[in-house]
Amino acid sequence: VFANTIEDAEKSLSTSLRLLKTDCIDLLYYHGLGNLNIERAFESDGVFTWLVKQKKAGKCRFLGCTSHNLPGRFAKFLETGEVDAILVTLNFVDCHTYDFEQRVLPLARKHGAGVVAMKVYGGGAGLNYKRPGPAHLDLQYIPQSLRYVLSLPDVASANLGCSSADQVRNNARMAREFVPLSADEAASLQTVGRRLAAEWGPYLGPVQEKAV
């Protein structure tokens, strides 16, 4: 559900239930915190309050929050105790820009929320996926990036976008063959990550809230 109003949230959820041909889903996300107006999300007529009610009404088993950027927005949602899972940008490059690893994952662990990694191989510049953007990783770094994410102790799952059957097979093979990064491999990857982060910049949106 990517919405700023209950009306739009209702449309989004009802459409998903209809397309999935079900009356209950396992995990319902309040999607894109970094690109929403969340000032009233906790009010009686706010979207997050409405989503919590949907869970209590049996429309979903679990409730989650997602974001590509603005990691500082997660604390207030996790501290409600209502968030069961988060879906956030995690890869060895963006840890130097958005740093969900240090700013959000410890909070998720504290409040018992599961962690799903997205943008494991980098995302489309400006969230444009019609063609690969400058922030997509070179193929040589794909195996290391998956190993980096799966080596993070808080990550329960990696959400990998696939556009071909070969990509599905390759991802499955790499997952089966997964071996955690050694200390030397992790240090080397951090060096590459810092260099690429300087090239990519905050391509998924701002890192911090604008000063008022």
Side-chain angles (χ1 to χ4, degrees):
V1 169
F2 179 71
N4 284 315
T5 66
I6 290 180
E7 180 182 9
D8 287 342
E10 287 178 329
K11 290 179 181 178
S12 177
L13 179 55
S14 62
T15 298
S16 293
L17 293 174
R18 176 176 55 81
L19 292 174
L20 292 168
K21 298 179 181 180
T22 185
D23 57 2
C24 178
I25 54 180
D26 289 319
L27 177 55
L28 174 61
Y29 283 123
Y30 185 26
H31 183 52
L33 297 185
N35 293 289
L36 290 173
N37 181 356
I38 63 170
E39 291 182 3
R40 302 193 71 260
F42 299 95
E43 301 293 333
S44 58
D45 60 346
V47 173
F48 185 73
T49 300
W50 180 83
L51 288 169
V52 172
K53 290 179 180 178
Q54 303 317 297
K55 177 183 175 181
K56 293 178 178 177
K59 294 292 182 69
C60 65
R61 294 176 60 206
F62 303 104
L63 181 62
C65 291
T66 87
S67 190
H68 303 82
N69 62 317
L70 292 180
R73 290 191 168 189
F74 273 84
K76 61 177 66 176
F77 290 94
L78 287 165
E79 287 168 359
T80 66
E82 300 286 358
V83 177
D84 301 300
I86 62 171
L87 171 70
V88 294
T89 299
L90 294 172
N91 61 63
F92 74 94
V93 179
D94 291 316
C95 65
H96 299 287
T97 302
Y98 297 102
D99 197 15
F100 281 96
E101 288 88 334
Q102 298 299 319
R103 300 186 62 184
V104 178
L105 265 55
L107 285 172
R109 184 189 318 129
K110 175 183 176 181
H111 295 286
V115 177
V116 182
M118 67 170 168
K119 305 296 174 277
V120 175
Y121 304 141
L127 299 181
N128 178 0
Y129 299 102
K130 293 182 179 180
R131 61 182 176 80
H136 279 284
L137 283 170
D138 290 338
L139 291 178
Q140 63 177 313
Y141 297 122
I142 294 296
Q144 293 99 315
S145 194
L146 182 58
R147 289 178 64 201
Y148 168 81
V149 165
L150 295 181
S151 295
L152 295 172
D154 296 300
V155 170
S157 179
N159 186 351
L160 306 175
C162 302
S163 58
S164 71
D166 282 342
Q167 288 181 3
V168 174
R169 285 189 285 267
N170 286 335
N171 282 322
R173 175 185 54 78
M174 289 187 292
R176 285 194 301 268
E177 298 173 355
F178 165 68
V179 176
L181 292 171
S182 68
D184 287 344
E185 287 175 319
S188 177
L189 202 58
Q190 286 291 307
T191 299
V192 176
R194 279 191 289 269
R195 174 176 59 81
L196 290 176
E199 295 177 7
W200 293 6
Y203 68 102
L204 293 172
V207 178
Q208 299 180 340
E209 302 282 358
K210 292 182 179 179
V212 179

